[in-house]
């Protein structure tokens, strides 16, 4: 590992420190911390050399090089020894073209960076490899998180891989069972609390002050350092030609903050000549950042009682809101909200591309349509949607959608029939060849092949 000396910078008062508090907040003003290293901005790093060494590592079988996170280790905080590193070969996720969605939206070059192809099925793995590594290096036996599902699955997996014990706090009845099953299978001590995600996080922050437990939520700045490698990998996949827009789902807002931090660092080092606009999309029922920007000009958080079927972003009091405001403003991005119907339709459209995603990821495509209507995004621009979670993270949503049950008994039920063209419910037939042939014939008449793809 390279020998570098990183520190912690408060995003509020600017105070610098070499060791964070247990709750990863500034000891002087209580705000969140960012990791910084003078070598990243000293002019000592050569962009051409970095691109070359990162490319060479793609053909290496060394454990660190097989990770799509640690392959970019020159721009990460360095652990004291490689033996501390916990990795599941995270990162290395595909960048897909979206021909159907490109045609339907009119955007000429539309891509999806699919973080759902990580080992546990979400973008959380890219941050968890770094944060769990530093937990192990610090000598902790227990790691813990509050979660809507993806964080718990990822943390439990990396804890198991690194010989650590894990504690998961999740809101009772407000988490996808498929995500919860991952945490259970990886051996986590799982507590379902009678509160929402924000309540779970508050309790966790009290816990770390009372017990030797290391917090692995996204307020942990090591998490965001790992997550910023998505941007390095994306630009490498685009041959270092920046897209015009990167569109990210907004929940606790750590991921958008991490991506924005990476973009700013890449421009400063000279890896890219200009910044893409980074935009954040939220569900209407969990729109704290949208309201914070519109009603308070981004100066103070406006919390909401979050409610959306996109469970991964059902967060009303996002911890990293100020970091997200900073990167949106620094890159000239936007923040928009989309309805439950728009999310469901966008998810089905991404599924029709053959790649699929969890509901929270689909806000990016739905948000793109709104940004196009506002002329913030132009049809001739290049757009990358960040898909944060795998289709199989929330199969209940998918099955209810295609069976027509997703909005039954809700305020959205009257508008639900507009989604019928996107539904593909299973068909129950007699076990006869004639029945199958008749169904095939009917399908060809009602769902013709799209010749524009």
């Amino acid at each position: 590992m390279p020998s570098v000396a990183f520190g912690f910078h408060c995003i509020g008062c600017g105070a610098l420190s070499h060791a964070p508090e247990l709750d990863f907040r500034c000891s002087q003003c209580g705000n969140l911390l960012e990791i910084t290293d003078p070598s990243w901005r000293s002019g000592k790093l050569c962009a051409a050399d970095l691109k070359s060494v990162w490319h060479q590592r793609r053909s290496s079988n060394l454990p660190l090089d097989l990770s799509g996170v640690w392959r970019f280790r020159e721009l990460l905080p360095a652990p004291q020894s490689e033996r501390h590193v916990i990795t599941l070969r995270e990162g290395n996720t595909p960048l897909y073209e979206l021909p159907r969605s490109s045609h339907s939206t009119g955007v000429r070059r539309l891509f999806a960076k699919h973080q759902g192809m990580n080992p546990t099925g979400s973008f959380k793995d890219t941050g968890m490899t770094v944060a769990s590594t530093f937990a192990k290096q610090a000598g902790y036996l227990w790691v813990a998180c509050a979660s809507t599902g993806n964080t718990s699955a990822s943390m439990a997996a990396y804890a198991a891989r690194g010989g650590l014990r894990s504690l998961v706090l999740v809101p009772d009845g407000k988490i996808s069972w498929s995500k919860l099953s991952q945490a259970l299978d990886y051996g986590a001590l799982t507590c379902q609390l009678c509160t929402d995600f924000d309540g779970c996080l508050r309790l966790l922050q009290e816990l770390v002050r009372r017990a030797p437990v290391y917090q692995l939520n996204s307020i942990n700045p090591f998490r965001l350092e790992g997550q910023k490698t998505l941007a390095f990998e994306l630009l490498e996949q685009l041959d270092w030609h920046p897209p015009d827009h990167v569109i990210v789902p907004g929940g606790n807002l750590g991921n958008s903050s991490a991506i924005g931090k990476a973009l700013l660092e890449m421009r400063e080092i000279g890896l890219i000549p200009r910044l893409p606009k980074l935009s954040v999309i939220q569900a209407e029922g969990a729109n704290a950042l949208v309201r914070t920007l519109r009603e308070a000009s981004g100066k103070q958080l406006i919390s909401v009682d979050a409610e959306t079927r996109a469970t991964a972003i059902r967060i009303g009091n996002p911890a990293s809101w100020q970091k997200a405001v900073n990167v949106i403003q620094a890159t000239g991005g936007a923040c928009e909200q989309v309805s439950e119907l728009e999310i469901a339709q966008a998810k089905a459209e991404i599924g029709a591309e053959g790649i699929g995603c969890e509901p929270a990821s689909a806000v990016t495509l739905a948000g793109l349509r709104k940004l196009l209507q506002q002329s913030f995004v132009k049809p001739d621009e290049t757009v990358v949607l960040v898909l944060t979670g795998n289709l199989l993270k929330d199969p209940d949503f998918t099955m209810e959608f295609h069976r027509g049950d997703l909005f039954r008994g809700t305020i959205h039920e009257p508008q639900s029939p507009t989604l019928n063209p996107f539904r593909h419910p299973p068909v129950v037939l007699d076990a006869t060849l004639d029945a199958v042939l008749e169904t095939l014939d009917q399908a060809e008449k009602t769902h013709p092949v799209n010749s524009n793809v």
Side-chain angles (χ1 to χ4, degrees):
M1 298 294 294
S3 177
V4 293
F6 59 87
F8 300 86
H9 170 262
C10 174
I11 67 168
C13 69
L16 295 172
S17 64
H18 292 291
E21 298 293 319
L22 294 174
D23 61 357
F24 293 105
R25 291 187 177 275
C26 177
S27 60
Q28 298 185 31
C29 72
N31 219 314
L32 295 182
L33 305 175
E34 280 189 340
I35 289 177
T36 184
D37 190 295
S39 69
W40 299 344
R41 296 178 170 85
S42 65
K44 296 179 181 178
L45 294 176
C46 172
D49 289 346
L50 288 175
K51 291 176 183 180
S52 177
V53 72
W54 293 343
H55 181 76
Q56 291 172 14
R57 286 173 183 161
R58 292 169 61 181
S59 59
S60 166
N61 284 323
L62 294 175
L64 287 186
D65 295 340
L66 289 170
S67 165
V69 172
W70 295 104
R71 184 162 65 86
F72 301 101
R73 49 191 174 271
E74 284 77 10
L75 295 182
L76 296 178
Q80 295 168 357
S81 169
E82 289 186 19
R83 64 185 175 84
H84 292 131
V85 175
I86 304 172
T87 176
L88 289 166
R89 299 189 186 183
E90 54 290 316
N92 301 311
T93 58
L95 180 67
Y96 294 114
E97 289 192 57
L98 299 178
R100 289 177 179 269
S101 299
S102 175
H103 176 74
S104 66
T105 60
V107 174
R108 188 179 306 167
R109 300 191 73 216
L110 180 59
F111 299 89
K113 177 64 171 164
H114 205 331
Q115 294 297 89
M117 300 303 181
N118 269 290
T120 74
S122 86
F123 74 97
K124 306 288 186 176
D125 295 347
T126 58
M128 207 60 70
T129 180
V130 178
S132 63
T133 290
F134 279 90
K136 183 177 181 179
Q137 176 177 290
Y140 281 86
L141 300 178
W142 281 91
V143 292
C145 71
S147 179
T148 58
N150 285 332
T151 299
S152 62
S154 182
M155 182 196 71
Y158 280 84
R161 191 68 175 174
L164 304 172
R165 302 190 69 183
S166 57
L167 170 66
V168 167
L169 306 181
V170 296
D172 187 30
K174 297 179 181 179
I175 179 175
S176 165
W177 288 111
S178 57
K179 298 176 186 178
L180 185 59
S181 69
Q182 289 180 274
L184 301 178
D185 219 36
Y186 301 140
L189 171 58
T190 303
C191 302
Q192 294 180 260
L193 306 183
C194 298
T195 183
D196 57 11
F197 167 82
D198 301 306
C200 291
L201 185 57
R202 283 193 297 270
L203 193 151
L204 175 62
Q205 293 187 287
E206 294 174 13
L207 174 68
V208 297
R209 298 188 185 98
R210 299 276 299 275
V213 175
Y214 190 86
Q215 183 175 186
L216 285 180
N217 276 92
S218 59
I219 62 172
N220 182 324
F222 290 110
R223 274 273 311 274
L224 302 196
E225 290 304 299
Q227 286 168 213
K228 76 182 185 183
T229 58
L230 175 155
F232 304 154
E233 190 173 89
L234 168 63
L235 268 296
E236 185 181 60
Q237 290 168 321
L238 293 172
D239 293 324
W240 301 101
H241 299 300
D244 297 289
H245 298 272
V246 176
I247 302 179
V248 189
N252 212 25
L253 301 176
N255 202 36
S256 51
S257 304
I259 296 169
K261 184 175 188 287
L263 294 174
L264 292 166
E265 289 174 355
M266 282 192 286
R267 185 185 63 172
E268 189 161 355
I269 293 168
L271 288 163
I272 56 176
R274 60 177 177 82
L275 289 173
K277 293 181 173 68
L278 188 143
S279 295
V280 178
I281 311 299
Q282 296 192 297
E284 282 183 354
N287 62 350
L289 183 62
V290 173
R291 293 192 58 186
T292 294
L293 287 166
R294 293 180 182 178
E295 300 172 28
S297 301
K299 295 179 181 178
Q300 63 182 33
L301 176 65
I302 297 180
S303 301
V304 300
D305 293 326
E307 186 53 52
T308 174
R309 281 297 301 266
T311 56
I313 55 173
R314 187 193 284 158
I315 297 171
N317 188 36
S320 296
W321 69 271
Q322 192 169 345
K323 290 184 178 181
V325 169
N326 291 344
V327 297
I328 288 172
Q329 293 175 344
T331 64
C335 186
E336 190 51 83
Q337 61 185 357
V338 292
S339 71
E340 297 296 293
L341 291 167
E342 289 169 328
I343 294 170
Q345 177 178 323
K347 182 181 178 304
E349 290 180 298
I350 293 170
E353 300 276 4
I355 57 176
C357 65
E358 72 170 334
S361 298
V363 301
T364 54
L365 179 58
L368 170 61
R369 294 186 184 281
K370 287 201 166 180
L371 296 178
L372 281 163
Q373 292 170 3
Q374 299 162 9
S375 297
F376 182 78
V377 175
K378 308 295 192 302
D380 61 347
E381 293 182 314
T382 300
V383 179
V384 176
L385 309 179
V386 175
L387 306 183
T388 47
N390 195 283
L391 169 68
L392 298 179
K393 284 288 189 174
D394 198 344
D396 289 345
F397 183 104
T398 305
M399 292 304 298
E400 289 177 32
F401 173 81
H402 288 290
R403 287 173 173 163
D405 299 330
L406 185 62
F407 298 112
R408 195 178 305 280
T410 73
I411 60 172
H412 305 293
E413 186 171 6
Q415 291 78 40
S416 181
T418 62
L419 299 174
N420 286 342
F422 303 96
R423 292 190 173 109
H424 304 284
V427 181
V428 179
L429 300 174
D430 291 331
T432 67
L433 179 59
D434 286 344
V436 174
L437 288 171
E438 183 179 346
T439 302
L440 276 174
D441 183 60
Q442 184 64 27
E444 288 191 354
K445 294 176 181 176
T446 56
H447 298 286
V449 174
N450 188 346
S451 60
N452 294 299
V453 177

